[in-house]
Amino acid sequence: MTDKKGEKIYADRVQLAYAKTLDIVAHAVMLVIGAGYLLYIMQLLPLSVPIETVAGNWQLSSSELQAKLHLFSGWSCFASLPLLLHGDAVSYASVVMLSMATILCLATAVIVFFREKNHLFLMIAILQVVVLLVAASGVMTQSH
Amino acid sequence: MKVFQNISWPVPAAIVAGASLMLLQATPLLAAAPQAAGDTAWWVWVLALFLFSFLLGIVAVLAGVGGGVLFVPIVSGFFPFHLDYVRGAGLLVALAGALSAGPPLMRKGLADLKLGLPMALVGSVSSIAGALVGLAMPAQNVQLLLGIVIISIAGIMIKSGRSGYPEVSQPDRLSQMLGISGLYYEEFGQHEVFWQVHRTPQGIALFFVIGFIGGMFGLGAGFANVPVFNLLMGVPLKVAVATSGLVLSINGSAAAWVYLFKGAVLPLIAVPSIGGMMLGSKIGAKLLPKVNSRTIRMLVITILVLSGLRSLMKGLGI
């Protein structure tokens, strides 16, 4: 396989597809993380919990802090649109997006493996997506 | 590298802009802010974390180690944040770095999906388990174990060699069945390098263990992924390093969800860490040809031993 300049390409189709998706997703996520953090620390949007309060308690464990302040966890920032219009919710949502990036890339790989009829790697890639989706569903943390 | 440069600017830029504006408003903020740890205002810690992560990013690249392995023991030892948030941030730092560096490495055939996926599948399951166990354990016990792990990593760094192009005379049956092999262009010597692997089952077993440790302590596990790929399975060093990032991005993503659901991710701490590390890594990559990386590596090993000892002492309540 060669590229447009006629130079040899050392990556196969699935790698190129994965890389393309990763490139787009990574750019988008980093932009959102940067913008979200500015909105948060500059307090350009209202906050659901003041920064000073979070900082005043960041020496507590996550379970203690949750019990005390009910900060965002899992997908809770997406519970409603008014909630998402808070600076801390936007910044938290951007971190959630970062964690979703790999799933999107793997979904691309699943499609290419399916088209290429590479059944073995199709199964591995699907299993990998399932593992990440189970983790993202919060089932493991609720039952624990 | 161009892609990496493009990706990495928004987060640091946002933090620098925010921090600068904060500094301009320093007096009222100082007066208004409830005290975080001791008498220091929150933004001082956030700015310090960003600057510290920036320095760590430089040193990590120069020493050839992942950022997470330095970030967690040092930040947990010297900043007022609970270990839960440091581990959560450590995973996200490793994840963001791996995602940013990924596209060009995959296009060049250096990060190999067929090599990385089976290892990541096993490692992601164990990293979730590791994260669950780590967050369920008392912080003092985790700190103690972290100290032991960090000192062991320093030991691995001292002892393990590296092989540019290991010889694999006969690939194992599993790797043949999976079709794990590849070809890449070595720009330094201007020649093509064909590679294949052996001892795949042993490699998979070790990736299970590595995933667990990575998830439990919030460490990027490049320190262990690379030797397993390179020294055990016979993967060329460049492919081992690049594919380690791919595995790390999947394992880190899996474990990050546990931290997110347990409320162990505070954007206030995680984002400046990510931004600082990414910007520092960029500078480190530029400095790399100009510095004696062996000296830096020894310095990092020393830092690891010291921060490991500090973790041990904190774990023992000393």
Side-chain angles (χ1 to χ4, degrees):
Chain A
M1 208 160 43
T2 56
D3 62 12
K4 287 173 186 172
K5 294 174 188 170
E7 290 177 5
K8 189 171 177 181
I9 296 174
Y10 290 90
D12 56 20
R13 277 196 183 84
V14 66
Q15 293 223 160
L16 292 174
Y18 192 103
K20 190 176 177 184
T21 308
L22 181 56
D23 213 357
I24 295 166
V25 171
H27 269 95
V29 168
M30 291 307 159
L31 276 170
V32 174
I33 285 181
Y37 197 68
L38 258 187
L39 289 174
Y40 180 31
I41 61 165
M42 296 312 302
Q43 303 178 36
L44 299 174
L45 286 175
L47 303 179
S48 57
V49 178
I51 296 176
E52 291 83 359
T53 309
V54 176
N57 293 280
W58 59 24
Q59 75 283 2
L60 299 177
S61 72
S62 57
S63 54
E64 290 168 331
L65 194 64
Q66 281 301 316
K68 191 173 178 182
L69 297 181
H70 304 290
L71 296 176
F72 295 111
S73 65
W75 295 90
S76 66
C77 64
F78 296 101
S80 68
L81 187 60
L83 189 64
L84 195 55
L85 292 176
H86 286 79
D88 45 352
V90 173
S91 189
Y92 182 84
S94 71
V95 177
V96 172
M97 284 176 65
L98 174 65
S99 306
M100 280 296 292
T102 311
I103 299 177
L104 294 174
C105 298
L106 284 164
T108 309
V110 166
I111 294 167
V112 179
F113 282 134
F114 177 76
R115 282 185 186 155
E116 290 185 343
K117 294 180 180 162
N118 186 338
H119 297 114
L120 195 55
F121 270 92
L122 174 63
M123 199 154 74
I124 291 172
I126 288 174
L127 278 173
Q128 185 63 75
V129 172
V130 169
V131 167
L132 292 177
L133 285 177
V134 168
S137 72
V139 173
M140 308 286 290
T141 39
Q142 281 164 7
S143 60
H144 194 72
Chain B
M1 185 56 80
K2 195 179 174 187
V3 174
F4 179 77
Q5 286 169 353
N6 288 340
I7 286 173
S8 62
W9 71 264
V11 181
I15 291 157
V16 170
S20 306
L21 287 166
M22 288 298 171
L23 284 169
L24 288 174
Q25 304 168 350
T27 313
L29 267 170
L30 269 173
Q35 304 313 310
D39 292 328
T40 312
W42 65 267
W43 60 267
V44 175
W45 285 115
V46 169
L47 190 60
L49 181 64
F50 173 73
L51 294 173
F52 191 72
S53 304
F54 172 73
L55 290 175
L56 279 186
I58 296 175
V59 173
V61 170
L62 296 179
V65 296
V69 74
L70 288 171
F71 180 85
V72 176
I74 298 177
V75 173
S76 69
F78 298 98
F79 281 77
F81 323 129
H82 191 275
L83 186 58
D84 287 356
Y85 316 115
V86 179
R87 284 182 289 162
L91 270 177
L92 292 169
V93 162
L95 174 60
L99 290 177
S100 300
L105 297 174
M106 293 195 80
R107 288 194 194 99
K108 287 179 182 173
L110 290 172
D112 193 272
L113 207 54
K114 285 183 181 167
L115 172 64
L117 265 186
M119 309 302 158
L121 179 58
V122 175
S124 59
V125 172
S126 64
S127 70
I128 292 171
L132 286 169
V133 171
L135 285 171
M137 281 171 71
Q140 201 167 358
N141 294 0
V142 179
Q143 195 90 51
L144 184 70
L145 290 173
L146 177 66
I148 295 167
V149 168
I150 293 298
I151 291 172
S152 306
I153 291 167
I156 291 171
M157 284 179 71
I158 294 168
K159 284 223 161 189
S160 71
R162 290 179 175 201
S163 177
Y165 313 103
E167 265 190 40
V168 177
S169 51
Q170 181 61 42
D172 62 87
R173 288 176 72 180
L174 182 58
S175 73
Q176 283 180 310
M177 192 180 89
L178 291 167
I180 301 175
S181 64
L183 184 72
Y184 74 96
Y185 185 70
E186 176 57 79
E187 288 177 23
F188 188 69
Q190 300 204 330
H191 62 277
E192 288 183 337
V193 177
F194 171 77
W195 58 268
Q196 51 192 3
V197 300
H198 56 186
R199 304 186 196 116
T200 307
Q202 294 95 313
I204 289 174
L206 282 174
F207 270 93
F208 185 83
V209 178
I210 296 166
F212 189 88
I213 293 171
M216 186 167 179
F217 298 110
L219 304 173
F223 67 90
N225 290 347
V226 175
V228 171
F229 274 140
N230 182 232
L231 298 175
L232 178 78
M233 296 176 65
V235 178
L237 187 58
K238 285 188 178 177
V239 178
V241 172
T243 309
S244 163
L246 175 71
V247 174
L248 204 152
S249 70
I250 298 173
N251 292 357
S253 176
W257 284 109
V258 177
Y259 283 83
L260 281 166
F261 274 96
K262 289 285 185 182
V265 174
L266 295 181
L268 194 59
I269 295 171
V271 177
S273 311
I274 293 169
M277 272 282 188
M278 291 177 76
L279 194 62
S281 305
K282 207 172 115 181
I283 305 289
K286 284 187 178 173
L287 289 175
L288 194 56
K290 299 172 190 168
V291 299
N292 183 345
S293 57
R294 198 172 166 189
T295 309
I296 297 287
R297 196 173 165 83
M298 285 314 295
L299 179 70
V300 165
I301 289 171
T302 310
I303 294 170
L304 278 176
V305 171
L306 290 175
S307 54
L309 285 173
R310 185 167 167 83
S311 282
L312 272 179
M313 287 167 74
K314 277 183 90 173
L316 291 167
I318 301 170

